[in-house]
Coordinates of all heavy atoms in Angstrom, one line a residue:
M1096 N 19.7 0.6 -4.8 CA 18.6 1.4 -4.0 C 19.1 1.5 -2.6 O 19.6 0.6 -2.0 CB 17.3 0.6 -4.1 CG 16.2 1.5 -4.5 SD 14.5 0.9 -4.5 CE 14.6 -0.9 -4.9
T1097 N 18.9 2.7 -2.0 CA 19.3 2.9 -0.6 C 18.1 2.4 0.3 O 17.0 2.4 -0.2 CB 19.6 4.3 -0.3 OG1 18.4 5.1 -0.5 CG2 20.6 4.9 -1.3
E1098 N 18.4 2.3 1.5 CA 17.4 1.9 2.5 C 16.3 2.9 2.5 O 15.1 2.7 2.7 CB 18.0 1.7 3.8 CG 17.1 1.7 5.1 CD 16.2 0.6 5.2 OE1 16.3 -0.4 4.4 OE2 15.3 0.7 6.0
K1099 N 16.7 4.2 2.3 CA 15.8 5.3 2.4 C 14.7 5.3 1.3 O 13.6 5.8 1.5 CB 16.5 6.6 2.2 CG 16.6 7.5 3.4 CD 17.5 8.6 3.2 CE 16.9 9.9 2.7 NZ 16.0 10.6 3.6
S1100 N 15.0 4.7 0.1 CA 14.1 4.7 -1.0 C 13.5 3.3 -1.3 O 12.8 3.1 -2.2 CB 14.7 5.3 -2.2 OG 15.9 4.6 -2.6
E1101 N 13.9 2.4 -0.4 CA 13.5 1.0 -0.6 C 12.2 0.7 0.1 O 12.1 0.9 1.3 CB 14.6 0.1 -0.2 CG 14.4 -1.3 -0.8 CD 15.7 -2.2 -0.4 OE1 16.7 -1.6 0.0 OE2 15.5 -3.4 -0.5
A1102 N 11.2 0.1 -0.6 CA 10.0 -0.3 0.1 C 10.2 -1.6 0.7 O 10.8 -2.5 0.2 CB 8.8 -0.3 -0.9
R1103 N 9.7 -1.7 2.0 CA 9.8 -3.0 2.7 C 8.6 -3.8 2.4 O 7.5 -3.3 2.2 CB 9.8 -2.8 4.2 CG 11.2 -2.3 4.7 CD 11.2 -2.4 6.2 NE 12.3 -1.7 6.7 CZ 12.4 -1.1 7.8 NH1 11.4 -1.1 8.7 NH2 13.5 -0.5 8.2
I1104 N 8.7 -5.1 2.3 CA 7.6 -6.0 2.1 C 6.8 -6.1 3.5 O 7.4 -6.6 4.5 CB 8.1 -7.4 1.7 CG1 8.7 -7.3 0.3 CG2 6.9 -8.4 1.7 CD1 9.4 -8.6 -0.2
A1105 N 5.6 -5.6 3.5 CA 4.8 -5.7 4.7 C 4.2 -7.1 4.8 O 4.2 -7.7 5.9 CB 3.7 -4.7 4.7
Q1106 N 3.8 -7.7 3.7 CA 3.2 -9.0 3.7 C 3.3 -9.5 2.2 O 3.1 -8.7 1.3 CB 1.7 -8.8 4.1 CG 0.9 -10.0 3.9 CD -0.5 -9.8 4.4 OE1 -0.7 -9.6 5.6 NE2 -1.5 -9.7 3.6
K1107 N 3.6 -10.7 2.0 CA 3.7 -11.3 0.6 C 2.4 -11.7 0.1 O 2.2 -12.8 -0.3 CB 4.7 -12.5 0.6 CG 6.2 -12.0 0.6 CD 7.1 -13.2 0.3 CE 8.5 -12.8 0.4 NZ 9.5 -13.9 0.4
G1108 N 1.5 -10.7 0.1 CA 0.2 -11.0 -0.4 C -0.7 -9.7 -0.1 O -0.3 -8.9 0.7
P1109 N -1.9 -9.6 -0.8 CA -2.7 -8.5 -0.6 C -3.4 -8.4 0.7 O -3.6 -9.4 1.4 CB -3.7 -8.6 -1.7 CG -3.8 -10.1 -2.0 CD -2.4 -10.6 -1.7
F1110 N -3.8 -7.2 1.1 CA -4.7 -7.0 2.2 C -6.1 -6.7 1.6 O -6.3 -5.8 0.9 CB -4.3 -5.8 3.0 CG -3.0 -5.9 3.8 CD1 -1.8 -5.5 3.2 CD2 -3.0 -6.4 5.1 CE1 -0.6 -5.6 3.9 CE2 -1.8 -6.5 5.7 CZ -0.6 -6.1 5.1
A1111 N -7.1 -7.5 2.0 CA -8.4 -7.3 1.6 C -9.1 -6.4 2.5 O -9.2 -6.7 3.7 CB -9.2 -8.7 1.5
V1112 N -9.6 -5.3 2.0 CA -10.2 -4.3 2.8 C -11.6 -3.8 2.3 O -11.7 -3.7 1.0 CB -9.3 -3.0 2.9 CG1 -10.0 -1.9 3.8 CG2 -7.9 -3.4 3.5
E1113 N -12.6 -3.7 3.1 CA -13.8 -3.2 2.7 C -13.7 -1.7 2.5 O -13.4 -1.0 3.5 CB -14.9 -3.4 3.7 CG -15.4 -4.9 3.8 CD -16.2 -5.3 2.6 OE1 -16.8 -4.5 2.0 OE2 -16.3 -6.6 2.4
V1114 N -14.0 -1.2 1.3 CA -13.9 0.3 1.1 C -15.2 0.8 0.7 O -16.1 0.1 0.3 CB -12.8 0.6 -0.1 CG1 -11.4 0.2 0.4 CG2 -13.2 -0.1 -1.4
E1115 N -15.3 2.1 0.8 CA -16.6 2.8 0.5 C -16.5 3.7 -0.7 O -15.5 4.4 -0.8 CB -16.9 3.8 1.7 CG -18.0 3.3 2.6 CD -18.1 4.3 3.8 OE1 -18.6 5.5 3.5 OE2 -17.7 4.0 4.9
A1116 N -17.4 3.6 -1.6 CA -17.4 4.4 -2.8 C -17.2 5.9 -2.5 O -17.9 6.4 -1.6 CB -18.7 4.2 -3.6
G1117 N -16.3 6.5 -3.2 CA -16.1 8.0 -3.1 C -15.1 8.3 -1.9 O -14.7 9.5 -1.8
K1118 N -14.8 7.4 -1.1 CA -13.9 7.7 0.0 C -12.4 7.5 -0.4 O -12.1 6.7 -1.2 CB -14.2 6.7 1.2 CG -13.8 7.2 2.5 CD -14.3 6.3 3.6 CE -13.4 6.5 4.9 NZ -13.6 5.5 5.9
A1119 N -11.6 8.4 0.2 CA -10.1 8.4 -0.2 C -9.4 7.6 0.9 O -9.6 7.7 2.1 CB -9.6 9.8 -0.3
Y1120 N -8.4 6.8 0.4 CA -7.6 6.0 1.3 C -6.1 6.3 0.9 O -5.8 6.6 -0.2 CB -7.8 4.5 1.1 CG -9.3 4.2 1.4 CD1 -10.3 4.3 0.5 CD2 -9.6 3.7 2.7 CE1 -11.6 4.0 0.8 CE2 -10.9 3.4 3.0 CZ -11.9 3.5 2.1 OH -13.2 3.2 2.4
F1121 N -5.2 6.2 1.9 CA -3.8 6.5 1.7 C -3.0 5.2 1.9 O -2.8 4.8 3.1 CB -3.3 7.6 2.5 CG -3.9 8.9 2.1 CD1 -5.1 9.4 2.6 CD2 -3.3 9.7 1.1 CE1 -5.7 10.5 2.1 CE2 -3.8 10.9 0.7 CZ -5.1 11.3 1.1
W1122 N -2.6 4.6 0.8 CA -1.9 3.3 0.9 C -0.5 3.5 1.2 O 0.2 4.4 0.7 CB -2.0 2.7 -0.5 CG -1.3 1.4 -0.7 CD1 -1.6 0.2 -0.2 CD2 -0.1 1.2 -1.5 NE1 -0.6 -0.8 -0.7 CE2 0.3 -0.1 -1.5 CE3 0.7 2.1 -2.3 CZ2 1.4 -0.6 -2.1 CZ3 1.8 1.6 -2.9 CH2 2.2 0.3 -2.9
C1123 N 0.0 2.7 2.1 CA 1.4 2.8 2.5 C 2.3 2.2 1.4 O 2.2 1.0 1.1 CB 1.6 2.0 3.8 SG 3.4 1.7 4.2
A1124 N 3.1 3.0 0.9 CA 4.0 2.6 -0.2 C 5.4 2.1 0.3 O 6.1 1.4 -0.4 CB 4.2 3.7 -1.2
C1125 N 5.7 2.5 1.6 CA 7.0 2.2 2.1 C 7.1 0.9 2.8 O 8.2 0.4 3.1 CB 7.5 3.4 3.0 SG 6.7 3.4 4.6
G1126 N 6.0 0.4 3.2 CA 6.0 -0.9 3.9 C 6.3 -0.8 5.4 O 6.3 -1.8 6.1
R1127 N 6.4 0.4 5.9 CA 6.8 0.6 7.3 C 5.6 0.9 8.3 O 5.8 0.9 9.5 CB 7.8 1.7 7.4 CG 9.2 1.3 6.9 CD 10.0 2.5 6.5 NE 11.3 2.2 6.0 CZ 11.6 1.8 4.8 NH1 10.6 1.6 3.9 NH2 12.8 1.5 4.4
S1128 N 4.5 1.1 7.7 CA 3.3 1.5 8.6 C 2.9 0.3 9.5 O 3.0 -0.9 9.1 CB 2.1 1.8 7.7 OG 1.0 2.0 8.5
A1129 N 2.5 0.6 10.7 CA 2.0 -0.4 11.6 C 0.5 -0.6 11.4 O -0.1 -1.5 12.0 CB 2.3 0.0 13.1
N1130 N 0.0 0.2 10.5 CA -1.5 0.1 10.2 C -1.7 -0.3 8.8 O -2.4 0.4 8.0 CB -2.1 1.5 10.5 CG -3.6 1.6 10.3 OD1 -4.3 0.6 10.6 ND2 -4.0 2.7 9.8
Q1131 N -1.1 -1.4 8.3 CA -1.2 -1.9 7.0 C -2.6 -2.2 6.6 O -3.4 -2.7 7.4 CB -0.3 -3.2 6.8 CG 1.2 -2.9 6.9 CD 1.7 -2.0 5.8 OE1 1.1 -2.0 4.6 NE2 2.7 -1.2 6.1
P1132 N -3.0 -1.9 5.3 CA -2.1 -1.5 4.2 C -2.0 0.0 4.1 O -1.6 0.5 3.1 CB -2.9 -2.0 3.0 CG -4.3 -1.9 3.4 CD -4.4 -2.2 4.8
F1133 N -2.5 0.7 5.2 CA -2.5 2.2 5.1 C -1.4 2.9 5.8 O -0.7 2.3 6.6 CB -3.9 2.7 5.6 CG -5.0 2.1 4.9 CD1 -6.0 1.3 5.6 CD2 -5.2 2.2 3.5 CE1 -7.0 0.7 4.9 CE2 -6.2 1.7 2.8 CZ -7.1 0.9 3.5
C1134 N -1.2 4.1 5.3 CA -0.1 5.0 5.8 C -0.3 5.4 7.3 O -1.4 5.8 7.6 CB 0.0 6.2 4.9 SG 1.2 7.4 5.4
D1135 N 0.7 5.4 8.1 CA 0.6 5.9 9.4 C 1.7 7.0 9.7 O 2.0 7.3 10.8 CB 0.7 4.8 10.5 CG 2.1 4.2 10.6 OD1 3.0 4.6 9.9 OD2 2.3 3.4 11.6
G1136 N 2.3 7.4 8.6 CA 3.4 8.5 8.8 C 4.8 8.0 8.9 O 5.7 8.7 8.9
S1137 N 4.9 6.6 9.0 CA 6.3 6.1 9.2 C 7.2 6.3 8.0 O 8.4 6.1 8.2 CB 6.2 4.6 9.5 OG 5.4 4.3 10.7
H1138 N 6.7 6.7 6.9 CA 7.5 6.9 5.7 C 8.4 8.1 5.9 O 9.3 8.3 5.0 CB 6.6 7.1 4.5 CG 5.7 8.3 4.6 ND1 4.4 8.2 5.0 CD2 6.0 9.6 4.4 CE1 3.9 9.4 5.0 NE2 4.8 10.3 4.7
E1139 N 8.2 8.9 6.9 CA 9.0 10.1 7.1 C 10.5 9.9 7.0 O 11.2 10.8 6.6 CB 8.6 10.8 8.4 CG 7.3 11.5 8.3 CD 7.1 12.6 7.3 OE1 8.1 13.1 6.7 OE2 6.0 12.9 6.9
V1140 N 11.0 8.7 7.4 CA 12.4 8.5 7.4 C 12.9 8.0 6.0 O 14.1 7.8 5.8 CB 12.8 7.4 8.4 CG1 12.5 7.9 9.8 CG2 12.1 6.1 8.1
T1141 N 11.9 8.0 5.0 CA 12.3 7.5 3.7 C 12.0 8.6 2.7 O 11.5 9.7 3.0 CB 11.4 6.3 3.3 OG1 10.1 6.7 3.0 CG2 11.4 5.2 4.4
D1142 N 12.3 8.3 1.4 CA 11.9 9.2 0.3 C 10.5 8.9 -0.2 O 10.1 9.5 -1.2 CB 12.9 9.1 -0.8 CG 14.3 9.4 -0.4 OD1 14.5 10.2 0.5 OD2 15.2 8.8 -1.1
L1143 N 9.9 7.9 0.3 CA 8.7 7.4 -0.2 C 7.5 8.1 0.4 O 7.5 8.6 1.5 CB 8.6 5.9 0.1 CG 9.7 5.0 -0.5 CD1 9.7 3.6 0.1 CD2 9.6 5.0 -2.0
R1144 N 6.4 8.1 -0.4 CA 5.2 8.8 0.1 C 4.0 7.9 -0.2 O 4.0 7.0 -1.1 CB 5.0 10.1 -0.7 CG 6.1 11.2 -0.4 CD 6.0 11.6 1.0 NE 7.1 12.5 1.4 CZ 8.2 12.1 2.0 NH1 8.4 10.9 2.3 NH2 9.1 13.0 2.3
P1145 N 2.9 8.1 0.6 CA 1.7 7.2 0.4 C 1.1 7.5 -1.0 O 1.3 8.5 -1.6 CB 0.8 7.5 1.5 CG 1.2 8.9 1.9 CD 2.7 9.0 1.7
V1146 N 0.2 6.6 -1.4 CA -0.5 6.7 -2.7 C -2.0 6.8 -2.3 O -2.5 6.0 -1.6 CB -0.3 5.5 -3.6 CG1 -1.2 5.6 -4.8 CG2 1.2 5.4 -4.0
R1147 N -2.6 7.9 -2.8 CA -4.0 8.2 -2.6 C -4.8 7.3 -3.5 O -4.6 7.2 -4.7 CB -4.3 9.7 -2.8 CG -5.7 10.1 -2.5 CD -5.7 11.7 -2.6 NE -7.0 12.2 -2.2 CZ -8.0 12.4 -3.0 NH1 -7.8 12.2 -4.3 NH2 -9.1 12.9 -2.6
Y1148 N -5.9 6.8 -2.9 CA -6.8 5.9 -3.7 C -8.2 6.3 -3.4 O -8.6 6.3 -2.2 CB -6.5 4.4 -3.4 CG -7.5 3.5 -3.9 CD1 -7.4 3.0 -5.2 CD2 -8.5 2.9 -3.1 CE1 -8.3 2.1 -5.7 CE2 -9.4 2.0 -3.6 CZ -9.3 1.6 -4.9 OH -10.2 0.7 -5.4
V1149 N -9.0 6.6 -4.4 CA -10.4 6.8 -4.2 C -11.2 5.6 -4.7 O -11.1 5.3 -5.9 CB -10.9 8.1 -4.8 CG1 -12.3 8.4 -4.6 CG2 -10.0 9.3 -4.3
A1150 N -12.0 5.0 -3.8 CA -12.7 3.8 -4.2 C -13.8 4.2 -5.2 O -14.5 5.2 -5.0 CB -13.3 3.2 -2.9
E1151 N -13.9 3.4 -6.2 CA -15.0 3.7 -7.2 C -16.3 3.1 -6.8 O -17.4 3.6 -7.1 CB -14.6 3.1 -8.6 CG -13.7 4.0 -9.3 CD -13.1 3.4 -10.6 OE1 -13.7 2.4 -11.1 OE2 -12.1 4.0 -11.1
K1152 N -16.2 1.9 -6.1 CA -17.4 1.3 -5.6 C -17.2 0.7 -4.2 O -16.0 0.4 -3.8 CB -17.9 0.2 -6.6 CG -16.9 -0.7 -7.0 CD -17.4 -1.7 -8.0 CE -16.3 -2.7 -8.3 NZ -16.6 -3.9 -8.8
T1153 N -18.3 0.5 -3.5 CA -18.2 -0.1 -2.2 C -18.0 -1.6 -2.3 O -18.6 -2.2 -3.2 CB -19.5 0.3 -1.4 OG1 -19.6 1.7 -1.3 CG2 -19.6 -0.4 -0.1
G1154 N -17.1 -2.1 -1.5 CA -16.8 -3.5 -1.6 C -15.4 -3.8 -1.2 O -14.7 -2.9 -0.7
K1155 N -15.0 -5.0 -1.5 CA -13.6 -5.4 -1.1 C -12.6 -4.9 -2.1 O -12.8 -5.0 -3.3 CB -13.5 -6.9 -1.1 CG -13.4 -7.3 0.3 CD -13.0 -8.8 0.5 CE -13.3 -9.1 2.0 NZ -14.4 -10.0 2.2
A1156 N -11.5 -4.3 -1.6 CA -10.4 -3.9 -2.5 C -9.2 -4.7 -2.0 O -9.0 -4.9 -0.8 CB -10.1 -2.4 -2.4
F1157 N -8.3 -5.1 -2.9 CA -7.1 -5.9 -2.5 C -5.9 -5.0 -2.7 O -5.3 -4.8 -3.8 CB -7.0 -7.1 -3.4 CG -8.2 -8.1 -3.1 CD1 -9.4 -8.0 -3.8 CD2 -8.0 -9.0 -2.1 CE1 -10.5 -8.8 -3.5 CE2 -9.1 -9.9 -1.8 CZ -10.3 -9.8 -2.5
F1158 N -5.5 -4.5 -1.5 CA -4.3 -3.6 -1.5 C -3.0 -4.4 -1.5 O -2.9 -5.3 -0.7 CB -4.4 -2.6 -0.3 CG -5.5 -1.6 -0.4 CD1 -6.7 -1.8 0.1 CD2 -5.3 -0.4 -1.1 CE1 -7.7 -0.9 0.0 CE2 -6.3 0.5 -1.2 CZ -7.5 0.3 -0.6
C1159 N -2.1 -3.9 -2.2 CA -0.8 -4.6 -2.3 C -0.1 -4.6 -0.9 O 0.1 -3.5 -0.4 CB 0.1 -4.0 -3.4 SG 1.8 -4.6 -3.4
G1160 N 0.4 -5.7 -0.5 CA 1.1 -5.8 0.8 C 2.6 -5.9 0.6 O 3.4 -5.6 1.5
C1161 N 3.0 -6.4 -0.6 CA 4.4 -6.6 -0.8 C 5.1 -5.3 -1.3 O 6.3 -5.2 -1.3 CB 4.6 -7.7 -1.9 SG 4.2 -7.2 -3.6
K1162 N 4.3 -4.3 -1.7 CA 4.7 -3.0 -2.1 C 5.5 -3.0 -3.4 O 6.2 -2.1 -3.7 CB 5.6 -2.3 -1.0 CG 4.9 -2.4 0.4 CD 3.5 -1.8 0.5 CE 3.0 -1.9 1.9 NZ 1.6 -1.4 1.9
Q1163 N 5.4 -4.1 -4.2 CA 6.2 -4.2 -5.4 C 5.2 -4.2 -6.6 O 5.7 -4.4 -7.8 CB 7.0 -5.5 -5.5 CG 7.7 -5.9 -4.2 CD 8.8 -4.9 -3.9 OE1 9.6 -4.5 -4.7 NE2 8.9 -4.5 -2.6
T1164 N 3.9 -4.0 -6.4 CA 3.0 -4.0 -7.5 C 3.3 -3.0 -8.6 O 3.8 -1.9 -8.3 CB 1.5 -3.8 -6.9 OG1 0.6 -3.8 -8.0 CG2 1.4 -2.5 -6.2
G1165 N 2.9 -3.3 -9.8 CA 3.0 -2.4 -10.9 C 1.7 -1.6 -11.1 O 1.6 -0.8 -12.0
N1166 N 0.7 -1.9 -10.2 CA -0.6 -1.2 -10.3 C -1.0 -0.6 -8.9 O -2.0 -0.9 -8.4 CB -1.6 -2.2 -10.7 CG -3.0 -1.7 -10.9 OD1 -3.1 -0.5 -11.3 ND2 -4.0 -2.4 -10.6
K1167 N -0.1 0.3 -8.4 CA -0.3 0.9 -7.1 C -1.7 1.6 -7.0 O -2.0 2.3 -7.9 CB 0.8 1.9 -6.8 CG 2.2 1.2 -6.6 CD 3.2 2.3 -6.5 CE 4.6 1.6 -6.5 NZ 5.7 2.5 -6.4
P1168 N -2.4 1.4 -5.9 CA -2.0 0.7 -4.7 C -2.5 -0.8 -4.6 O -2.5 -1.4 -3.6 CB -2.7 1.5 -3.6 CG -4.0 1.9 -4.3 CD -3.7 2.1 -5.7
L1169 N -3.1 -1.2 -5.8 CA -3.7 -2.6 -5.7 C -2.7 -3.7 -6.1 O -1.8 -3.5 -6.9 CB -4.9 -2.5 -6.7 CG -6.0 -1.5 -6.3 CD1 -7.1 -1.5 -7.3 CD2 -6.5 -1.6 -4.9
C1170 N -3.0 -4.9 -5.6 CA -2.2 -6.1 -5.9 C -2.4 -6.4 -7.4 O -3.5 -6.4 -7.9 CB -2.8 -7.2 -5.0 SG -2.1 -8.8 -5.5
D1171 N -1.3 -6.7 -8.1 CA -1.4 -7.2 -9.5 C -0.8 -8.6 -9.6 O -0.5 -9.0 -10.8 CB -0.7 -6.1 -10.4 CG 0.8 -6.1 -10.2 OD1 1.3 -6.8 -9.3 OD2 1.5 -5.5 -11.1
G1172 N -0.5 -9.2 -8.5 CA 0.0 -10.6 -8.6 C 1.5 -10.7 -8.5 O 2.1 -11.8 -8.5
T1173 N 2.2 -9.5 -8.5 CA 3.7 -9.5 -8.5 C 4.2 -10.3 -7.3 O 5.3 -10.9 -7.4 CB 4.2 -8.1 -8.4 OG1 3.8 -7.4 -9.6 CG2 5.7 -8.0 -8.3
H1174 N 3.4 -10.3 -6.2 CA 3.9 -11.0 -5.0 C 4.2 -12.5 -5.2 O 4.9 -13.1 -4.5 CB 2.9 -10.8 -3.8 CG 1.6 -11.5 -4.1 ND1 0.5 -10.8 -4.6 CD2 1.2 -12.7 -3.9 CE1 -0.5 -11.7 -4.8 NE2 -0.1 -12.8 -4.3
N1175 N 3.5 -13.0 -6.2 CA 3.7 -14.5 -6.5 C 5.1 -14.8 -6.9 O 5.6 -16.0 -6.7 CB 2.8 -14.9 -7.6 CG 1.3 -15.0 -7.1 OD1 1.1 -15.6 -6.1 ND2 0.4 -14.4 -7.9
G1176 N 5.9 -13.8 -7.4 CA 7.2 -14.1 -7.8 C 8.3 -13.7 -6.8 O 9.5 -13.8 -7.0
L1177 N 7.8 -13.4 -5.6 CA 8.8 -12.9 -4.5 C 9.3 -14.1 -3.7 O 8.6 -15.1 -3.5 CB 8.2 -11.9 -3.6 CG 7.8 -10.6 -4.3 CD1 7.1 -9.6 -3.3 CD2 9.0 -9.9 -4.9
Ligands
FES168 FE1 1.9 -6.9 -3.9 FE2 0.2 -8.7 -4.6 S1 0.7 -8.1 -2.7 S2 1.4 -7.5 -5.8
FES169 FE1 4.4 3.9 4.5 FE2 3.4 6.3 4.9 S1 3.8 4.8 6.4 S2 3.8 5.4 3.1

C-alpha cells in the first residue's frame, strides 16, 4: 500500500459522538483530519474519501478512530488487535 492510499490511525479506539436521527455525517476514512472522527478535507492528498453516515436514531454512535474497521464508519472492535 502506498502512503497515498493508506489510512492513518487517528486513535486506537472509537470516538463516541452524540448524533441526531436523520442527520448526515462524514466520517474521516484517511485518518488525517484534525476534526476527528469527521472529515475536514485533509484526504485531498490521498486516494481516500470520507464515508457518509446517516444516523438512524438520536444518541451515541461509536465512530472508528483506527480507520481499520470492517464496518465503516463504526467501530467493530478491530482496534483491539492493533
Ligand atoms: Fe477502529 Fe474500533 S476504533 S475498530
Ligand atoms: Fe480524512 Fe476527509 S479528512 S477522509
Side-chain angles (χ1 to χ4, degrees):
M1096 233 187 326
T1097 64
E1098 161 69 9
K1099 248 172 91 73
S1100 57
E1101 199 174 344
R1103 284 191 192 152
I1104 295 172
Q1106 170 176 295
K1107 279 189 186 171
F1110 291 93
V1112 178
E1113 286 288 338
V1114 295
E1115 252 176 72
K1118 202 173 157 190
Y1120 298 85
F1121 291 86
W1122 175 74
C1123 168
C1125 75
R1127 289 159 178 77
S1128 172
N1130 182 36
Q1131 292 296 329
F1133 302 119
C1134 174
D1135 73 353
S1137 300
H1138 62 262
E1139 285 303 340
V1140 297
T1141 74
D1142 299 333
L1143 302 166
R1144 294 296 175 261
V1146 173
R1147 185 172 184 268
Y1148 170 81
V1149 179
E1151 276 173 20
K1152 50 182 182 159
T1153 296
K1155 251 189 194 110
F1157 294 87
F1158 290 94
C1159 171
C1161 74
K1162 314 302 180 185
Q1163 317 294 315
T1164 179
N1166 182 34
K1167 293 173 186 178
L1169 303 176
C1170 171
D1171 72 351
T1173 299
H1174 66 264
N1175 286 313
L1177 298 176

